[in-house]
């Protein structure tokens, strides 16, 4: 027998790898500036202290209520979080998201009920993810048709909830409710501390998510898609004016659904809910396999990463994408080679939603889908089963590729504007679309460099990656290597995705969608150490220190994360001042909406945000190939005027003094008083009504 297969040898190997990882973390802390405080002003420290105090009190109160009322303490904590959600996001946003969540849960339950008679029922988080995937696919298919109005979207919700008419679905949901209401066993001191930390993080993330959106990427694409659809009833944008017009936008269409009913707060709340689902998928799956303490630690190590906060506090679409990939991975993680055809269909539905959301989702889907089909075919199948599998693959593949087919029909490039050196669409130069800031750093030091020099991989401060992966992933992968084969194959999928993305671009948000899979392995590592009392103390202390470091660097996740005051959530005037300080154009867009509504054409000069504009945004940056061809090379005021005549804006939103990115902006700055009539100025941004002679 090889020495490494002996228990003592395996434990020694894991110990050595973990010690080396911890040593490298210590080295990074000592030799980089990662321990420099980021954003911890007196106000932000007080905010965190208040959140921690309230969370500890709420957890202890829930324990007492469980003892005296006989109900599960998690129910009390969840009820408190729901109440807080309604307060910070508003009742309209809460109602819009709640209707979607309930309808999606009913749909997902109907699809998975009885899927695997010999195995436990699928977890609530998996069923909810599946229902949201179905909703997203329907909304994506409807997006180019002018039917995206509140009544039609209510009809979609009614369609998703139709399975409530089935008695088995009602029985399953009733059983879920009863299971949640059953009191759990009292927690030992260690797990109780983890639970308090979890509640504090959930509240802290919720408050961040409730702040007004100020990330330019979110306002330029994700929220703008939602505001445009809400005004026009369709997404039918000219890819010549906006290079991202035909990229996969499925999660944006899901956001547009709740935006129709409650605007930006509903989008922010829905993104927060998808974060909760991801954490539940990680914690629940690890708990079922390795025990509750391991599940809590794995979920906390994921949730406490600054990168996770950035994705959750903004309106980015990585959280929905990550939720679908993680849900598919959970099914494979728990079923392995025993996966049924019904579960294969569920996995393919989840991966179809991921593929329709982002090209990175398509890469993960090919890998996870291949593993799922391989697991299914590892058992001898009858011809009828193989035929049903083939039909399933064809149908789900057609759905997943529909956005790419639409992009090819419109532009001649299925992944426009990417890989246009291959497809050569006339709407974009025949070059590979790549952001030069995030290339040239793919090597064996990637994990270490991304942890301690995060500003090379994200618009953030050092430490934005958090320390969970650097500290525990190498040892977790070592456990997987000497562990079950199914996990080794899942680890290969994880590594394959990192390689596929990293070999092209090294941007942390692009790696994020498969990172939760790593925490399945870290959960396994935790279970190895927690099985022995003395080793459990050492590992728990290490996890506690790592989570503490993550929390210390939470503000490092983005260049704007350190500027917050949670009191503005409950003070409208403070919120307006905050928004006008960081994204004053949002207030100007609201003025345009009042003046001209969806028929407005707004030239954006020195401004990259577009939401909550209802009309057409005319970008003057690389976002617009039309501008790159006909406006970027402007050399005089006459050239600027000629471009305005070309795109026919009714309004101009202009930042002064202009940034040096394009000469056009400086030329417009000199001519804008002649070409426009000033309407309003907020900070450095002014709204003009166009009066081109």
């Amino acid at each position: 027998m090889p020495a490494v297969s002996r228990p003592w040898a395996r434990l020694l190997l894991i110990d050595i790898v973990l010690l080396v990882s911890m040593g490298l973390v210590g080295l990074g802390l000592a030799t980089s500036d990662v321990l420099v405080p980021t954003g911890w002003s007196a106000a932000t420290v007080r905010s965190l202290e208040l959140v921690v105090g309230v969370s500890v009190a709420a957890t202890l109160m829930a324990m007492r209520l469980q003892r005296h009322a006989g109900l599960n303490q998690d129910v009390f904590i969840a009820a408190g979080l729901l109440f807080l959600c309604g307060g910070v996001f508003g009742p309209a946003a809460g109602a819009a998201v709640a209707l979607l969540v309930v309808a999606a849960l009913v749909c997902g339950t109907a699809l998975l009920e009885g899927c695997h008679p010999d195995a436990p029922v699928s977890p609530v988080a998996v069923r909810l993810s599946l229902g949201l995937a179905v909703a997203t696919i329907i909304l994506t298919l409807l997006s180019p048709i002018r039917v995206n109005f509140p009544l039609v979207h209510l009809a979609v919700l009614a369609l998703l909830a139709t399975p409530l008419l089935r008695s088995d679905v009602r029985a399953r949901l009733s059983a879920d409710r009863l299971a949640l209401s059953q009191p759990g066993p009292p927690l030992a001191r260690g797990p109780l501390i983890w639970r308090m930390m979890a509640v504090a993080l959930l509240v802290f993330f919720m408050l961040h998510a409730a702040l007004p959106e100020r990330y330019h990427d979110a306002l330029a694409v994700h929220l703008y898609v939602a505001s445009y659809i809400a005004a026009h009833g369709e997404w039918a944008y000219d890819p010549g004016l906006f290079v991202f017009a035909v990229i996969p936008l499925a999660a944006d269409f899901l956001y547009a659904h709740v935006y129709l009913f409650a605007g930006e707060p509903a989008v922010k709340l829905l993104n927060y809910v998808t974060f909760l689902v991801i954490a539940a998928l990680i914690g629940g799956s690890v708990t079922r396999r390795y025990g509750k303490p391991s599940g809590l630690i794995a979920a906390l190590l994921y949730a406490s990463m600054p990168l996770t906060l950035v994705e959750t506090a903004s309106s980015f679409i990585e959280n929905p994408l990550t939720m679908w990939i993680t849900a598919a991975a959970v099914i494979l993680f728990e079923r392995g080679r025993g996966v049924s055809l019904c579960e294969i269909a569920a996995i393919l539905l989840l991966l179809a939603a991921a593929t329709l959301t982002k090209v990175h989702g398509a890469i993960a889907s090919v890998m996870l889908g291949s593993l799922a089909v391989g697991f299914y075919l590892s058992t001898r199948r009858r011809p009828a089963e193989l035929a049903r599998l083939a039909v399933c693959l064809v149908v789900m593949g057609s759905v997943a590729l529909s956005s790419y087919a639409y992009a090819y029909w419109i532009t001649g490039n299925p992944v426009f504007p990417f890989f246009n050196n291959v497809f050569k669409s006339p709407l974009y130069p025949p070059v590979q679309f790549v952001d030069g800031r995030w290339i040239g750093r793919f090597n064996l030091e990637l994990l270490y460099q991304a942890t301690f020099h995060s500003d090379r991989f994200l618009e953030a401060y050092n430490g934005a990656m958090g320390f969970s992966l650097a500290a525990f992933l190498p040892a977790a992968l070592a456990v997987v290597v000497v562990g079950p084969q199914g996990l080794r194959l899942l680890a290969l999928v994880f590594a394959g995705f990192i390689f596929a993305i990293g070999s092209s671009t090294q941007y942390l948000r692009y790696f994020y969608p498969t990172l939760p899979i790593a925490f399945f392995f870290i959960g396994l590592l935790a279970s190895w150490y927690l099985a022995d009392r003395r080793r459990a103390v050492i590992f728990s202390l290490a996890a506690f220190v790592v989570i503490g470091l993550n929390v210390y660097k939470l503000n490092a996740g983005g260049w704007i994360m350190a500027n917050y005051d949670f009191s503005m959530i409950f003070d409208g005037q403070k919120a307006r001042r905050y928004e006008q300080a960081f994204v004053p154009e949002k207030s100007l867009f609201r003025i345009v909406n009042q003046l001209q509504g969806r028929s407005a054409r707004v030239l954006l000069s020195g401004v990259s945000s577009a939401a909550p504009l209802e009309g057409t945004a005319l970008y003057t940056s690389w976002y617009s190939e039309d501008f790159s061809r006909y406006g970027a090379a402007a050399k005089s005021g006459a050239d600027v005027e000629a471009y305005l005549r070309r795109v026919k804006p009714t309004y101009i939103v202009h930042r002064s003094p202009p940034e040096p990115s394009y000469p056009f902006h400086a030329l417009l700055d000199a001519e804008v008083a002649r070409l426009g009539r000033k309407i309003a100025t907020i900070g450095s941004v002014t709204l003009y009504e166009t009066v081109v002679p």
Side-chain angles (χ1 to χ4, degrees):
M1 176 172 26
V4 77
S5 67
R6 297 169 185 161
W8 66 267
R10 285 183 293 190
L11 287 173
L12 180 60
L13 171 65
I14 305 309
D15 285 342
I16 291 172
V17 176
L18 185 59
L19 283 172
V20 170
S21 299
M22 289 296 183
L24 288 173
V25 169
L27 177 65
L29 293 173
T31 58
S32 71
D33 65 352
V34 78
L35 287 178
V36 174
T38 305
W40 289 116
S41 64
T44 55
V45 170
R46 282 196 302 271
S47 297
L48 182 61
E49 289 173 347
L50 179 62
V51 167
V52 171
V54 169
S55 302
V56 170
T59 306
L60 294 175
M61 185 181 299
M63 288 180 60
R64 289 181 64 86
L65 287 171
Q66 173 172 302
R67 204 158 35 234
H68 295 294
L71 295 175
N72 193 319
Q73 59 184 305
D74 291 341
V75 174
F76 293 107
I77 293 174
L81 289 174
L82 287 173
F83 179 79
L84 187 57
C85 274
V88 300
F89 292 100
V97 173
L99 284 173
L100 174 63
V101 166
V102 170
L105 179 58
V106 171
C107 177
T109 299
L111 291 173
L112 284 174
E113 179 64 17
C115 213
H116 205 307
D118 300 329
V121 68
S122 296
V124 170
V126 172
R127 286 181 273 146
L128 176 56
S129 301
L130 181 59
L132 288 172
V134 173
T136 301
I137 290 169
I138 294 172
L139 295 171
T140 300
L141 296 176
L142 292 177
S143 63
I145 309 170
R146 196 169 184 179
V147 296
N148 291 273
F149 304 108
L151 283 178
V152 175
H153 280 234
L154 286 174
V156 171
L157 292 181
L159 176 65
L160 294 173
T162 300
L164 269 179
L165 299 174
R166 287 170 41 183
S167 59
D168 60 332
V169 172
R170 293 198 303 274
R172 179 67 261 154
L173 295 173
S174 295
D176 292 335
R177 181 177 57 81
L178 289 173
L180 287 173
S181 64
Q182 295 300 314
L187 290 177
R189 184 175 301 171
L192 176 60
I193 293 173
W194 299 127
R195 185 180 294 260
M196 289 176 177
M197 294 173 67
V199 174
L201 280 171
L202 295 183
V203 174
F204 189 74
F205 278 42
M206 180 195 300
L207 296 176
H208 259 293
L211 295 173
E213 183 58 76
R214 63 267 195 217
Y215 259 105
H216 294 303
D217 280 2
L219 291 166
V221 183
H222 311 303
L223 277 175
Y224 179 55
V225 170
S227 64
Y228 187 93
I229 289 176
H232 295 258
E234 62 180 341
W235 178 250
Y237 217 89
D238 181 353
L241 294 178
F242 186 38
V243 295
F244 299 128
V246 293
I247 63 171
L249 292 168
D252 299 279
F253 300 139
L254 183 65
Y255 284 173
H257 166 79
V258 293
Y259 191 97
L260 276 172
F261 299 103
E264 179 185 305
V267 174
K268 302 292 292 293
L269 175 55
L270 178 56
N271 189 36
Y272 175 73
V273 168
T274 59
F275 153 70
L276 295 180
V277 175
I278 297 168
L281 288 166
I282 296 170
S285 187
V286 172
T287 294
R288 288 186 292 275
R289 289 288 293 264
Y290 309 122
K292 192 150 196 169
S294 298
L296 275 170
I297 291 173
L300 276 168
L301 287 169
Y302 156 76
S304 62
M305 292 194 306
L307 179 62
T308 305
L309 176 59
V310 173
E311 298 291 357
T312 304
S314 67
S315 303
F316 296 152
I317 50 82
E318 276 81 14
N319 268 350
L321 172 62
T322 303
M323 174 185 67
W324 291 316
I325 292 173
T326 306
V330 164
I331 297 175
L332 290 175
F333 182 57
E334 298 190 356
R335 299 290 192 255
R337 298 180 185 277
V339 66
S340 67
L341 181 59
C342 176
E343 289 165 331
I344 289 289
I347 290 170
L348 294 178
L349 265 173
L350 290 162
L351 297 179
T355 301
L356 290 168
T357 294
K358 205 165 189 174
V359 175
H360 306 80
I363 296 171
S365 296
V366 169
M367 296 178 179
L368 278 172
S370 300
L371 180 60
V373 172
F375 277 166
Y376 183 73
L377 294 178
S378 65
T379 301
R380 186 176 181 84
R381 301 293 177 182
R382 299 189 304 272
E385 292 175 312
L386 295 176
R388 286 194 290 270
L389 174 63
V391 170
C392 188
L393 288 170
V394 169
V395 171
M396 296 305 173
S398 300
V399 170
L401 295 175
S402 59
S403 283
Y404 300 86
Y406 178 74
Y408 183 77
W409 178 53
I410 296 292
T411 70
N413 180 348
V415 289
F416 183 88
F418 305 104
F419 299 107
N420 208 47
N421 56 325
V422 176
F423 296 102
K424 295 180 171 53
S425 167
L427 299 178
Y428 197 77
V431 297
Q432 166 66 301
F433 181 95
V434 66
D435 191 332
R437 294 174 298 172
W438 320 118
I439 59 175
R441 300 184 182 93
F442 186 61
N443 52 50
L444 294 177
E445 293 184 356
L446 178 64
L447 179 57
Y448 180 88
Q449 293 293 332
T451 300
F452 297 101
H453 302 284
S454 309
D455 60 351
R456 302 174 186 173
F457 302 88
L458 187 69
E459 303 94 334
Y461 301 101
N462 291 336
M465 180 76 169
F467 307 91
S468 302
L469 297 175
F472 296 115
L473 182 58
L477 291 176
V479 172
V480 170
V481 168
V482 299
Q485 183 182 5
L487 279 184
R488 291 202 293 273
L489 294 175
L490 194 58
L492 282 175
V493 168
F494 170 74
F497 179 85
I498 298 300
F499 180 83
I501 298 300
S503 59
S504 172
T505 183
Q506 300 88 53
Y507 188 53
L508 290 185
R509 280 177 49 204
Y510 295 166
F511 292 124
Y512 179 79
T514 59
L515 291 187
I517 295 176
F519 291 93
F520 298 160
F521 313 142
I522 292 173
L524 172 60
L525 174 70
S527 71
W528 275 47
Y529 278 95
L530 296 179
D532 178 83
R533 194 170 189 176
R534 282 178 294 184
R535 294 163 66 85
V537 171
I538 296 172
F539 184 85
S540 297
L541 180 61
F544 185 83
V545 170
V546 169
I547 293 169
L549 286 169
N550 286 349
V551 171
Y552 175 68
K553 297 303 295 184
L554 277 177
N555 296 329
W559 58 271
I560 56 171
M561 297 304 295
N563 301 292
Y564 60 88
D565 176 3
F566 292 146
S567 66
M568 79 179 69
I569 297 170
F570 310 99
D571 186 330
Q573 290 187 347
K574 273 189 176 181
R576 279 190 294 275
R577 288 197 297 269
Y578 174 82
E579 190 175 77
Q580 290 176 359
F582 288 99
V583 277
E585 55 268 29
K586 288 177 72 176
S587 297
L588 299 177
F589 292 147
R590 294 188 183 101
I591 295 174
V592 174
N593 292 343
Q594 293 174 350
L595 292 174
Q596 197 176 1
R598 69 183 191 183
S599 61
R601 292 174 63 84
V602 183
L603 188 85
L604 308 181
S605 172
V607 171
S608 57
S609 305
L613 183 66
E614 295 175 356
T616 300
L618 303 171
Y619 294 93
T620 56
S621 67
W622 62 269
Y623 279 13
S624 169
E625 177 57 21
D626 186 87
F627 173 76
S628 297
R629 289 185 178 184
Y630 302 106
K635 293 182 174 59
S636 66
D639 292 339
V640 170
E641 184 175 332
Y643 186 70
L644 295 186
R645 291 183 184 280
R646 173 181 173 79
V647 295
K648 299 179 175 61
T650 54
Y651 294 93
I652 298 171
V653 173
H654 174 68
R655 186 182 300 278
S656 182
E659 297 178 355
S661 306
Y662 296 94
F664 181 94
H665 297 152
L667 293 169
L668 179 61
D669 192 62
E671 299 286 338
V672 71
R674 179 177 66 88
L675 300 173
R677 179 178 63 85
K678 182 187 292 187
I679 295 176
T681 297
I682 300 176
S684 61
V685 182
T686 302
L687 171 65
Y688 297 88
E689 182 181 14
T690 308
V691 288
V692 177

